[in-house]
Amino acid sequence: MAQSIRTMISPGRYAQGKGAIHQLGRHLAPLGSTPLLVADDVVWGFVGHDVEASLAEAGLPVDRRAFGGVPSSKEVDRLVGEITSSGADVVVAIGGGSTIDAVKAAGHLAGVRWANAPTVASTDAPCSALSVIYTEDGEFEAYRFFPRNPDLVLVDSQLVANAPAEFLIAGVGDALATWLEARATSRSNSPTMAGGLPTLAGTALAQLSWDVLWENALPAIDAVRDSQVTPAVEKVIEANTLLSGLGFESGGLAAAHAIHNGLTSVAATHGLAHGQKVNLGSVAQLVLEGANPADLREFIEFTTIVGLPTTLTEVGIRPDDADSVRAVATAAAVEGETIHSMPFEVTADDVAAALTSIDRHATRIRENANLPAPAPYTAKH
Ligand SMILES: [Zn+2]
């Protein structure tokens, strides 16, 4: 009986716009009197001044701690210690998806409220009631689920536009996957990350995210290259953060994210952003679905123009490196992975075949469309 319950969850408040960071104090005040801010030194360098002014205006003290770089169990436990020893009653992540994932997990364990002020629109992390925990080397370890979503998600669009465009591009990759995965979850009537079957609302938001991105991603990326906030930029920030955030959580994940998680088992991929790897997962999911060739071609063309990887080569894996492909496929198809929300059975062999087939086909599509050939990715570290 419980299997038939449909569920939708969301953050308590979502605020987005140019200069929104100036309202951080005002929105935090109802949540607590002693906030603890977590931001790395780079982020704090460009946003600390405005955050301090905003909190002072709301009569809140400023206590900032650094973030260690990877949302690992160890970093989460360290942050729990910081929260507990500081006596904070609300913890605020300021930065990207890694900071946010670590702070959500730490806030939950410390028993305080939590809020997110993403400074980039690169992942689905800000709105959800779950964190992705990685090993200290950057390998996917586990999803952690929490009983509540963040109390507040506040996005300053100017900060997002000031960040390198690569962050927004990665966010587009993460958000395009949302509809492909929600559509698959809806077809199979599988449970979502929200702990129930998908609602019409969750599925519809995932589809809206897709539509908004096909129309606005390219003009938005161009605007952000000049640090400009245009209506297209606002729409893409909302698609990447709110629509995709609610859409993946309450609409469901399927093959694309499972393949992303599989890719993290190969060290060569570790320097890439989450959304870059997710995009290859989306291409692989379309192949697994036996997608209409025109749909597959359009997706590869569009995401290549956006600036996302569409081949194994571009995420650091040679397509003839059978061991690496096998490692990715095995991890992606492990029991309990969201790939089993696809409306048909998927085995590691299926994933390996799909992945191995991509490079040759994507290269041909790109050649025919006069798009650049895939350039091999080499990890920076
Ligand atoms: Zn994601």
Side-chain angles (χ1 to χ4, degrees), residues 123-124 174 257 274 278:
T123 73
D124 277 337
D174 200 18
H257 269 76
H274 172 79
V278 168

Side-chain angles (χ1 to χ4, degrees), residues 40-349:
D40 66 38
D41 292 344
V42 174
V43 166
W44 191 248
F46 60 75
V47 82
H49 180 79
D50 286 343
V51 170
E52 281 176 354
S54 174
L55 266 61
E57 201 182 294
L60 295 171
V62 175
D63 185 355
R64 195 274 297 195
R65 306 295 164 96
F67 169 63
V70 178
S72 62
S73 295
K74 195 173 154 196
E75 176 63 4
V76 169
D77 291 344
R78 187 188 69 79
L79 288 171
V80 171
E82 299 267 13
I83 297 167
T84 311
S85 64
S86 71
D89 51 8
V90 54
V91 61
V92 188
I94 306 173
S98 298
T99 310
I100 289 169
D101 270 345
V103 164
K104 285 193 292 189
H108 168 68
L109 288 174
V112 299
R113 304 182 83 168
W114 69 86
N116 297 323
T119 53
V120 288
S122 59
T123 73
D124 277 337
C127 291
S128 73
L130 65 87
S131 287
V132 188
I133 301 298
Y134 294 85
T135 65
E136 279 165 67
D137 295 333
E139 192 174 331
F140 173 81
E141 189 172 278
Y143 290 109
R144 283 195 200 173
F145 296 88
F146 314 122
R148 287 188 296 113
N149 292 69
D151 288 291
L152 168 70
V153 177
L154 181 140
V155 195
D156 188 324
S157 308
Q158 187 63 60
L159 290 176
V160 173
N162 292 347
E166 280 56 42
F167 288 103
L168 194 70
I169 291 171
V172 170
D174 200 18
L176 285 171
T178 304
W179 167 235
L180 298 177
E181 295 182 272
R183 183 176 68 184
T185 304
S186 160
R187 284 176 181 162
S188 64
N189 208 30
S190 300
T192 73
M193 311 308 267
L197 296 179
T199 52
L200 293 172
T203 308
L205 293 179
Q207 187 165 21
L208 179 58
S209 170
W210 171 272
D211 293 344
V212 166
L213 292 172
W214 278 79
E215 280 180 22
N216 297 282
L218 295 175
I221 290 162
D222 288 339
V224 162
R225 292 208 189 275
D226 293 314
S227 304
Q228 299 305 309
V229 177
T230 60
V233 171
E234 293 283 12
K235 286 178 188 173
V236 170
I237 294 171
E238 186 182 331
N240 286 6
T241 312
L242 181 65
L243 299 176
S244 175
L246 298 178
F248 100 80
E249 185 167 47
S250 292
L253 292 180
H257 269 76
I259 291 166
H260 159 274
N261 294 343
L263 287 168
T264 68
S265 67
V266 176
T269 70
H270 288 178
L272 289 151
H274 172 79
Q276 291 179 300
K277 284 175 268 192
V278 168
N279 197 63
L280 182 61
S282 292
V283 175
Q285 180 174 325
L286 287 167
V287 172
L288 284 168
E289 287 173 332
N292 179 325
D295 291 345
L296 179 62
R297 190 189 69 234
E298 281 175 22
F299 188 83
I300 289 172
E301 287 178 2
F302 179 63
T303 57
T304 299
I305 295 168
V306 163
L308 290 161
T310 60
T311 58
L312 280 172
T313 299
E314 289 163 296
V315 301
I317 301 173
R318 291 194 332 272
D320 62 357
D321 175 358
D323 289 346
S324 292
V325 171
R326 175 55 53 181
V328 173
T330 303
V334 81
E335 199 187 325
E337 250 303 354
T338 56
I339 205 162
H340 303 296
S341 292
M342 293 297 287
F344 45 83
E345 199 196 335
V346 182
T347 65
D349 283 348

